[in-house]
């Protein structure tokens, strides 16, 4: 994709695991890499060529099976995405999702950049790990893209990213453990026992980019909200009072969670929060499954 707006000497790339969709890609002039996912034997390439995603068939497949497979971007993928822009004389800023848990950013991406720099010695490629995913990553990327549209230089974008990485935390709460078990995030035995006793985990993508189970609870949204608020009280509340809530298959599910979370916050004497509600990206929808909820916010002020 060729960018047409803002600072014309460089472009900004991101990937679909960071929450950028076809609409945001066009609005903010972001070159977008599609991270593929296979669900129920069908392959999906989210927002490829800036086209709308087939959520209907994807969610239908997701509800029919917990057989989900993802695969990493390869060196050839990176070269295929980057080369056309380099040929046009553009430099590249690539802001990618957390490198924790995949070696594509340790092996494939550096290999591709090394080859491309030999091929285009006058061009610069800056790859940046935003150390988060989904709603945890999106605001940082959109702000960088907006800066470019306002004609910020590439060094200014670099400084912004290096200053603001590691300031947002994200949580994901699956409805059950089946998808995490099939995907390998928990053992199938743990998934079976958790589902049997209705134990639900809270996964955290921390400020260091690592994703892990940080708490467990039994019950519905009020119990979940209490557990989350207890952790937030210990680890830090949103510095700006704003929480980005994500849902998988039902916007109503997200709205119900916000209502329960707001009620529990009031019961616990916390100040009211401001909420935005959007769908989680397809890759992470596949990992956490239907009915899941996510939320993300800034622990430190983003400047």
């Amino acid at each position: 994709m060729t960018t047409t707006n803002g600072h014309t000497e460089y472009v900004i790339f991101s990937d679909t695991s960071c929450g950028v969709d076809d609409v945001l890609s066009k609005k903010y002039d972001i070159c977008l890499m599609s991270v593929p996912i296979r669900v129920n034997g069908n392959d999906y390439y989210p927002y490829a060529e800036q086209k709308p995603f087939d959520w209907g068939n994807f969610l239908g497949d997701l509800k029919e099976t917990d057989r989900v497979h993802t695969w990493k971007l390869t060196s050839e993928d990176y070269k295929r995405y980057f080369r056309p822009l380099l040929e046009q004389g553009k430099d590249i800023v690539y802001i990618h999702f957390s490198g924790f848990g995949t070696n594509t950013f340790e092996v494939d991406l550096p290999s591709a950049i090394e080859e491309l720099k030999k091929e285009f010695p006058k061009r610069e490629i800056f790859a940046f790990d935003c150390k988060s995913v989904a709603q945890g990553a999106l605001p940082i990327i959109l702000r960088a893209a907006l800066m470019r549209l306002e004609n910020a230089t590439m060094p200014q974008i670099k400084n912004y990213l290096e200053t603001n990485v590691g300031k947002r935390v994200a949580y994901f709460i699956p409805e059950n453990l089946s998808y995490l078990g099939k995907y390998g995030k928990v053992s199938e035995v743990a998934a079976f026992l958790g589902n049997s006793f209705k134990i639900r985990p809270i996964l955290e993508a921390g400020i260091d980019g690592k994703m892990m189970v940080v708490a467990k609870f039994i019950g519905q949204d009020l119990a979940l909200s209490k557990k989350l608020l207890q952790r937030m009280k210990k680890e830090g509340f949103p510095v700006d009072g704003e929480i980005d809530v994500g849902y998988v298959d039902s916007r109503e599910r997200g709205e119900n969670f916000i209502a329960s979370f707001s009620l529990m916050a009031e019961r616990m004497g916390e100040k009211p929060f401001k909420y935005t509600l959007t769908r989680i990206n397809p890759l992470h929808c596949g990992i956490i499954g239907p009915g899941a909820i996510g939320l993300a916010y800034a622990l430190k002020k983003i400047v």
Side-chain angles (χ1 to χ4, degrees):
M1 184 194 79
T2 303
T3 57
T4 56
N5 303 310
H7 205 297
T8 59
E9 294 181 359
Y10 69 94
V11 298
I12 288 183
F13 266 91
S14 187
D15 51 60
T16 51
S17 293
C18 290
V20 180
D21 59 17
D22 58 317
V23 175
L24 293 174
S25 174
K26 294 173 183 176
K27 179 179 179 179
Y28 288 89
D29 211 22
I30 299 171
C31 299
L32 190 57
M33 295 186 185
S34 179
V35 180
I37 179 170
R38 178 174 295 170
V39 181
N40 199 23
N42 294 316
D43 293 339
Y44 292 91
Y45 296 85
Y47 311 115
E49 301 178 355
Q50 289 188 310
K51 294 179 180 178
F53 185 61
D54 186 359
W55 279 105
N57 284 330
F58 175 79
L59 292 172
D61 278 337
L62 195 60
K63 291 174 181 178
E64 286 183 10
T65 180
D66 52 18
R67 296 186 62 184
V68 176
H69 173 75
T70 64
W71 56 91
K72 67 177 184 177
L73 295 172
T74 67
S75 178
E76 293 303 314
D77 290 326
Y78 292 119
K79 288 186 287 186
R80 174 169 54 85
Y81 277 110
F82 290 161
R83 182 175 283 110
L85 280 302
L86 297 170
E87 289 175 342
Q88 296 175 27
K90 310 289 187 183
D91 293 330
I92 290 173
V93 176
Y94 173 37
I95 312 168
H96 62 75
F97 67 98
S98 172
F100 177 71
T102 174
N103 68 358
T104 185
F105 303 123
E106 296 177 355
V107 179
D108 299 272
L109 179 59
S111 174
I113 292 176
E114 182 180 2
E115 288 187 42
L116 289 170
K117 284 187 173 181
K118 291 178 181 178
E119 187 177 348
F120 303 94
K122 294 183 179 181
R123 301 274 59 84
E124 184 175 1
I125 305 172
F126 176 61
F128 188 83
D129 185 345
C130 70
K131 296 190 181 298
S132 193
V133 296
Q135 278 82 351
L138 185 59
I140 298 290
I141 294 166
L142 295 185
R143 176 56 186 162
L146 181 60
M147 289 174 64
R148 176 185 165 275
L149 290 176
E150 295 173 345
N151 286 309
T153 64
M154 193 166 170
Q156 288 174 321
I157 296 292
K158 286 184 180 181
N159 181 67
Y160 164 76
L161 292 170
E162 291 167 349
T163 300
N164 288 286
V165 69
K167 292 187 177 181
R168 286 179 62 83
V169 62
Y171 294 97
F172 298 95
I173 305 92
E175 190 72 15
N176 61 63
L177 289 172
S178 298
Y179 289 83
L180 291 176
K182 293 295 184 181
Y183 189 71
K185 292 297 184 181
V186 299
S187 71
E188 293 201 22
V189 172
F192 173 78
L193 292 174
N195 289 339
S196 298
F197 293 99
K198 300 188 182 302
I199 300 172
R200 298 168 63 191
I202 298 174
L203 290 86
E204 178 187 83
I207 58 175
D208 57 0
K210 296 181 179 179
M211 184 179 289
M212 60 188 70
V213 176
V214 295
K216 299 176 182 177
F217 71 101
I218 298 176
Q220 300 303 314
D221 281 350
L222 281 175
L224 165 61
S225 299
K226 183 176 181 179
K227 184 70 73 170
L228 282 168
L229 284 160
Q230 288 172 337
R231 182 164 183 84
M232 291 165 69
K233 188 171 185 178
K234 178 181 178 182
E235 301 294 330
F237 284 107
V239 67
D240 53 8
E242 298 181 0
I243 298 177
D244 297 311
V245 176
Y247 64 93
V248 173
D249 51 328
S250 167
R251 185 176 180 86
E252 183 181 5
R253 171 76 184 92
E255 292 170 345
N256 289 340
F257 169 77
I258 289 174
S260 294
F261 191 87
S262 299
L263 177 60
M264 183 55 67
E266 182 180 353
R267 289 182 181 179
M268 295 175 66
E270 305 300 341
K271 295 180 180 179
F273 300 105
K274 294 177 288 184
Y275 304 92
T276 58
L277 179 61
T278 55
R279 198 192 296 271
I280 298 170
N281 70 80
L283 178 77
H284 289 92
C285 284
I287 294 174
I288 57 180
I293 285 293
L295 66 156
Y297 56 88
L299 277 174
K300 302 177 183 179
K301 185 176 180 180
I302 295 175
V303 296

